[in-house]
Amino acid sequence: MASVETAAEHERILREIESTDTNCIGPTLRSVYDGQEHGLFMEKLDVRIRNHDREIEKMCNHHFQGFVDSITELLKVRGEAQKLKSQVTETNRHLQDDGKELMGSMEELQKCRVQQRNMASTIDKLSHCLPVLEMYSRLQEQMRAKRYYPALRTLEQLEHTCLPRAGQYRFCSIMAENSPKLRTQIRDTAMTQLRDFLESIRKHSDKIGETAIRQAQLQRSLDSSVSSQSRRGLIGRRGRKEAAAVEGAGPDSGGQGGSPASEQDSGILDVGDEEEEEEEDEVPGAQDLVDFSPVYCCLHIYTVLGLRDVFENYYRKQRRKQARLVLQPHSNMHETLEGYRRYFNQIAGFFVVEDHVLHTTQGLVNRAYVEELWELALSKLIAALRTHSVLDQDNFSPIPVSTEEEYKHYTSQFPVQDPELDKLPFPKKLPFSQFVPKVYSQLKEFIYACLKYSEDLHLSSTEVDDMIRKSTNLLLTRTLSHCLQYAIKKKNVGLAELVQVIINTTHLEQSCHFLEEFISNITNVPPDSANATKLYGTSTFKDARHAAEAEIYTNLNAKIDQFLQLADYDWMAPVPGGGSLEASDYLMDLIAFLNSTFSVFTNLPGKVAQTACMSACKHISTSLTQLLLDPEVRQISLGALHQLNADVKECEGFARAGPVAGFQGDTLLLAFSDLRQLLELFTLWDWSTYLADYGKATCKYLRVNPHTALALLEKMKETSRKNNVFAQFRKTDRDRQKLIDAIIKQLRNLIAQHHT
């Protein structure tokens, strides 16, 4: 029974070995060796192997003949394959040889087609690029030729037509980037030419006006037939020149409608030969004297750029400024007839130019603009002539009043508010001159004229009040202010006249509130309303008064300098023996002049008189100090210092006498304190005190600068050295020289200690 089971187990193991992967046969074989019948298993395994060998042999015998036949057929096919290969190789060789020429032709054809396509593309691109380059070249040529208006047109065509067609090329991008720069350059250049034109006509407006006035005189003097012929000839020539100018401003010429006479005066043209003028008996007009092409060119350029409004505003603004300059009278206008003639010529020349621009441009200026300037010119002209006449006629003296009627006459013209003056008996004097009531009356007349002018303007009371106040302010701040400044600055005005100007402007300043009330009364607008314009009269008269005060100080110092130039000090004078020295003659004359001058200052405001007096004393002190330190004065003796000390004592006596009221104590003496301490230091030879107390608040010589002392001591040292030829033989002179050297050394040490 056990053998049957063993056999069955071995059979199972053999089937498992046959059917199982060799990787998993280990456990199966282990089960054989774990048992006791492995020998029997090996016998069965051998039997099974022999059975399989017999089956393999049968199968091989069955298929062997077919295998041999297949091998034989394969060998036959190999030979045929070799022949076929040889034939294919030979055919391929013939095909390659025959196709080489064709391939070469095809490659050449392909290259030709590529070249043809490239050429067509190049021609197409060049057809778009060449116009760009040609137009850009034309643009550069126009820029070099300064034909800016055609250049601007070319630039626009280049930007909007040619560049978009050309495509995206680097040179196109560069051109597109440069376009705004070129446009700005054209605009700026045109504006520069316009500025040159404006400057030129500003400088030559008197010549233009003179020519226009002569032309008007000529036309009035000729008879009707000659006048008609002249006008026809002039109009014909004017029409031809204006047509040429306008045509020159067109696209083909760049707006250069004429050639400037010179680089400095680009707006003024040559009038022509004088002989030709005499033969034609014609006076050149504005268009003959002025090249207006910069105006036309700039106008066209700004119009193309879309900036016409900017150009119009700029032109009008600049011409308004020039109008104000032209209408401002020259400082010496009223001195000669030629001054008035030049003033009128400038005004006429200005409006001749504006009239020509009005009729040759479309809207650059309009009739209302020109009439506005003309109204301004009339008011300025009338005010300037009237004010100058008042100033010229004034005697700069207080008004004498002998009777009550005269007093009422002047008080009716000018509001005098002085109770003390009312109490004085006749005859008496008003503090101001004829200038004050005349100016006040003319201001009221001007206000009345403004009111009358506004009657037909249909303005409200507030608007009329505002207009009158603004016009009056213009009269005060421009015309009257300029006239007062001229009266103060002119050469022949004296101190007495300046004093009277200060008194006059003070009273006019005090009367400004009466003018305010006068305007309010005639316009029925309260002066304290919210929108009421304040009059600038107070500031105008105050500025004039300050200018007169400054001129008094300047003139007074100039007079003092004239006296000081007469000073003739003997800088090598010996020390006086005994008695007191007298002041120099020039200084006595100077003191007498100052006393008489300050006696005139009694009517001035106290502060002005005090300032003038203090300024004069300081100027004297400073000038005397400068005489001591003058580099040309290389030697100074102690005797010269004693003489200068006597002069300073005379000045101090003048200051103590109180030439002007209002100074407290010895305030005026402070003007001479620096010089006084310096002279005392040298005349008393008090160097020990100075060196010991220097820098202390209680120092006796606090105002003495060590640099000044050192410079003066060096001059004294030089004097001692040169005058005492035999000083080395005299002990006193040697000791004095050593003392000066020691003091100089100590001063230098002092300076080094306090200024490092």
Side-chain angles (χ1 to χ4, degrees):
M1 188 67 181
S3 61
V4 175
E5 292 179 357
T6 301
E9 180 65 23
H10 286 172
E11 187 64 27
R12 184 188 63 79
I13 292 172
L14 288 174
R15 287 196 301 271
E16 187 174 349
I17 290 173
E18 289 176 345
S19 60
T20 307
D21 190 4
T22 56
N23 294 329
C24 301
I25 201 172
T28 304
L29 295 177
R30 181 177 293 279
S31 65
V32 174
Y33 283 99
D34 289 343
Q36 301 296 324
E37 301 296 337
H38 61 277
L40 182 59
F41 175 77
M42 292 299 295
E43 290 177 359
K44 285 190 174 185
L45 181 60
D46 290 338
V47 173
R48 183 63 62 89
I49 292 171
R50 285 193 295 272
N51 289 337
H52 283 297
D53 289 340
R54 283 194 296 272
E55 290 178 358
I56 291 171
E57 184 177 357
K58 287 180 181 180
M59 186 177 293
C60 289
N61 289 335
H62 178 71
H63 293 287
F64 177 73
Q65 187 60 40
F67 175 72
V68 172
D69 293 340
S70 297
I71 293 299
T72 302
E73 290 293 331
L74 184 59
L75 291 175
K76 292 179 181 179
V77 170
R78 185 176 65 179
E80 295 296 329
Q82 289 293 336
K83 291 180 182 179
L84 181 60
K85 180 180 179 182
S86 299
Q87 292 176 358
V88 170
T89 302
E90 184 67 19
T91 302
N92 181 60
R93 186 177 62 79
H94 288 296
L95 182 61
Q96 292 295 331
D97 292 341
D98 295 338
K100 281 183 180 179
E101 184 177 356
L102 179 61
M103 290 297 295
S105 300
M106 292 297 293
E107 289 178 357
E108 291 180 0
L109 178 61
Q110 183 182 7
K111 290 180 181 179
C112 289
R113 292 286 177 82
V114 171
Q115 290 176 354
Q116 186 179 10
R117 187 169 59 251
N118 290 341
M119 290 173 63
S121 176
T122 302
I123 291 172
D124 181 64
K125 296 299 182 183
L126 285 176
S127 65
H128 291 90
C129 292
L130 283 177
V132 174
L133 298 174
E134 291 174 355
M135 193 157 293
Y136 194 78
S137 176
R138 187 194 311 166
L139 173 63
Q140 295 297 325
E141 182 65 28
Q142 290 169 341
M143 292 291 291
R144 285 192 294 270
K146 298 182 180 180
R147 300 172 61 232
Y148 298 110
Y149 182 71
L152 188 61
R153 286 296 191 187
T154 303
L155 182 61
E156 284 196 337
Q157 188 176 358
L158 181 67
E159 283 184 318
H160 298 104
T161 305
C162 298
L163 285 178
R165 293 179 182 174
Q168 300 297 324
Y169 293 102
R170 181 169 177 77
F171 74 90
C172 293
S173 301
I174 294 174
M175 289 180 184
E177 292 173 359
N178 287 336
S179 293
K181 298 178 182 177
L182 289 173
R183 187 177 285 104
T184 302
Q185 180 183 351
I186 292 172
R187 184 192 66 197
D188 294 344
T189 305
M191 183 55 68
T192 300
Q193 291 181 347
L194 178 69
R195 291 194 185 101
D196 294 341
F197 167 81
L198 293 175
E199 177 64 20
S200 179
I201 61 174
R202 185 190 67 81
K203 292 191 297 185
H204 294 84
S205 60
D206 57 339
K207 182 179 179 182
I208 299 170
E210 180 184 1
T211 304
I213 293 173
R214 279 193 353 215
Q215 188 179 38
Q217 291 174 343
L218 179 62
Q219 290 178 352
R220 284 196 303 268
S221 64
L222 295 175
D223 58 78
S224 59
S225 61
V226 176
S227 178
S228 300
Q229 293 176 2
S230 298
R231 283 197 297 271
R232 285 197 296 270
L234 185 60
I235 292 171
R237 186 173 63 175
R238 180 181 303 175
R240 291 192 299 271
K241 291 201 172 186
E242 290 180 3
V246 175
E247 181 180 356
D252 296 333
S253 65
Q256 307 301 318
S259 301
S262 65
E263 292 182 359
Q264 289 82 4
D265 301 330
S266 60
I268 303 301
L269 295 178
D270 291 330
V271 176
D273 295 334
E274 294 181 359
E275 296 178 0
E276 181 182 352
E277 287 184 3
E278 293 176 357
E279 292 175 1
E280 296 181 359
D281 200 21
E282 290 182 354
V283 179
Q287 72 285 347
D288 301 304
L289 292 175
V290 181
D291 174 19
F292 287 92
S293 60
V295 179
Y296 305 141
C297 179
C298 200
L299 176 61
H300 289 318
I301 288 174
Y302 270 72
T303 301
V304 172
L305 293 175
L307 300 172
R308 182 184 175 97
D309 292 341
V310 175
F311 174 73
E312 289 181 359
N313 293 333
Y314 176 81
Y315 178 85
R316 295 185 183 185
K317 181 179 179 182
Q318 294 302 315
R319 290 296 282 165
R320 280 194 178 95
K321 289 182 179 179
Q322 291 187 351
R324 287 193 290 270
L325 292 175
V326 167
L327 295 172
Q328 191 71 25
H330 299 287
S331 58
N332 58 348
M333 179 189 75
H334 72 289
E335 294 181 357
T336 61
L337 183 62
E338 183 61 30
Y340 283 104
R341 183 181 292 112
R342 186 163 180 256
Y343 181 57
F344 296 146
N345 288 342
Q346 286 181 341
I347 296 175
F350 177 87
F351 284 100
V352 165
V353 171
E354 288 306 287
D355 183 73
H356 187 81
V357 172
L358 174 66
H359 288 90
T360 56
T361 60
Q362 297 179 352
L364 179 56
V365 297
N366 52 35
R367 179 64 62 184
Y369 160 80
V370 176
E371 289 180 353
E372 175 190 350
L373 292 179
W374 181 245
E375 292 294 334
L376 174 64
L378 285 178
S379 62
K380 294 283 290 184
L381 184 62
I382 294 171
L385 294 177
R386 283 184 175 179
T387 308
H388 273 296
S389 63
V390 171
L391 284 171
D392 293 339
Q393 296 171 3
D394 193 36
N395 58 3
F396 294 98
S397 300
I399 301 175
V401 180
S402 302
T403 63
E404 182 73 24
E405 289 74 15
E406 289 182 349
Y407 186 73
K408 290 181 179 180
H409 169 71
Y410 287 112
T411 54
S412 64
Q413 291 181 338
F414 180 78
V416 180
Q417 301 292 325
D418 190 351
E420 297 296 329
L421 182 63
D422 293 338
K423 297 177 182 178
L424 293 177
F426 293 99
K428 55 187 175 183
K429 289 184 178 182
L430 298 177
F432 45 80
S433 67
Q434 294 282 355
F435 171 77
V436 172
K438 288 183 178 180
V439 167
Y440 189 83
S441 298
Q442 288 191 4
L443 286 173
K444 293 176 68 174
E445 289 178 11
F446 178 82
I447 293 170
Y448 271 126
C450 292
L451 180 65
K452 186 176 181 181
Y453 174 77
S454 65
E455 290 177 354
D456 298 330
L457 299 180
H458 306 290
L459 301 176
S460 64
S461 299
T462 305
E463 291 173 333
V464 171
D465 182 83
D466 185 65
M467 185 271 290
I468 292 176
R469 290 175 182 272
K470 289 181 178 179
S471 300
T472 306
N473 280 335
L474 288 175
L475 179 65
L476 290 170
T477 58
R478 293 181 182 175
T479 305
L480 183 57
S481 176
H482 174 79
C483 295
L484 288 172
Q485 293 292 337
Y486 168 74
I488 292 168
K489 299 291 184 181
K490 64 182 180 180
K491 295 182 180 179
N492 59 347
V493 63
L495 290 172
E497 287 82 359
L498 291 173
V499 170
Q500 191 61 54
V501 169
I502 293 177
I503 296 172
N504 289 348
T505 52
T506 301
H507 283 83
L508 286 172
E509 179 185 350
Q510 294 170 355
S511 68
C512 285
H513 70 279
F514 292 104
L515 285 178
E516 294 264 8
E517 294 177 358
F518 176 70
I519 295 174
S520 299
N521 290 335
I522 64 175
T523 59
N524 295 321
V525 177
D528 54 352
S529 59
N531 298 323
T533 303
K534 299 300 180 184
L535 290 183
Y536 300 151
T538 301
S539 59
T540 298
F541 297 124
K542 186 177 294 183
D543 292 343
R545 186 173 70 253
H546 290 166
E549 293 171 3
E551 198 68 19
I552 283 179
Y553 307 148
T554 302
N555 287 3
L556 188 58
N557 290 342
K559 285 289 186 181
I560 293 173
D561 289 337
Q562 292 177 6
F563 282 98
L564 290 174
Q565 288 175 0
L566 302 176
D568 187 18
Y569 287 101
D570 181 7
W571 299 113
M572 303 300 297
V575 178
S580 59
L581 288 172
E582 293 184 358
S584 302
D585 292 339
Y586 86 91
L587 192 72
M588 299 297 294
D589 295 338
L590 173 59
I591 297 299
F593 164 75
L594 292 177
N595 282 323
S596 63
T597 298
F598 289 130
S599 64
V600 182
F601 286 12
T602 53
N603 293 328
L604 280 178
K607 184 179 180 182
V608 177
Q610 293 169 16
T611 304
C613 189
M614 178 60 77
S615 173
C617 292
K618 286 183 177 179
H619 188 69
I620 294 173
S621 177
T622 303
S623 299
L624 292 176
T625 304
Q626 290 175 350
L627 284 177
L628 285 175
L629 302 178
D630 188 354
E632 295 184 359
V633 180
R634 299 183 179 180
Q635 304 174 38
I636 294 179
S637 67
L638 193 58
L641 294 181
H642 279 284
Q643 179 60 54
L644 190 63
N645 186 46
D647 292 344
V648 173
K649 287 181 179 179
E650 188 68 26
C651 294
E652 291 172 336
F654 165 76
R656 288 192 188 92
V660 172
F663 286 108
Q664 295 181 356
D666 293 336
T667 304
L668 199 55
L669 282 174
L670 294 176
F672 300 98
S673 58
D674 292 10
L675 184 57
R676 163 54 51 211
Q677 292 184 11
L678 179 65
L679 291 174
E680 284 188 355
L681 175 62
F682 277 84
T683 55
L684 299 178
W685 207 252
D686 196 7
W687 291 103
S688 58
T689 303
Y690 177 74
L691 295 173
D693 295 344
Y694 181 78
K696 298 179 180 179
T698 58
C699 179
K700 180 180 179 182
Y701 304 102
L702 184 64
R703 295 178 177 271
V704 178
N705 189 303
H707 292 277
T708 305
L710 179 60
L712 191 55
L713 201 59
E714 291 279 3
K715 294 185 178 185
M716 294 189 67
K717 174 185 175 182
E718 193 69 19
T719 303
S720 178
R721 178 182 301 169
K722 290 188 177 181
N723 287 352
N724 301 316
V725 180
F726 302 101
Q728 63 272 25
F729 301 110
R730 296 196 295 270
K731 184 176 184 302
T732 56
D733 293 332
R734 289 200 307 270
D735 292 343
R736 182 175 181 81
Q737 189 67 36
K738 289 181 181 179
L739 180 59
I740 291 176
D741 292 339
I743 294 174
I744 289 175
K745 183 177 180 181
Q746 292 179 8
L747 280 175
R748 289 175 177 169
N749 292 334
L750 189 67
I751 293 172
Q753 292 174 3
H754 289 81
H755 295 83
T756 54

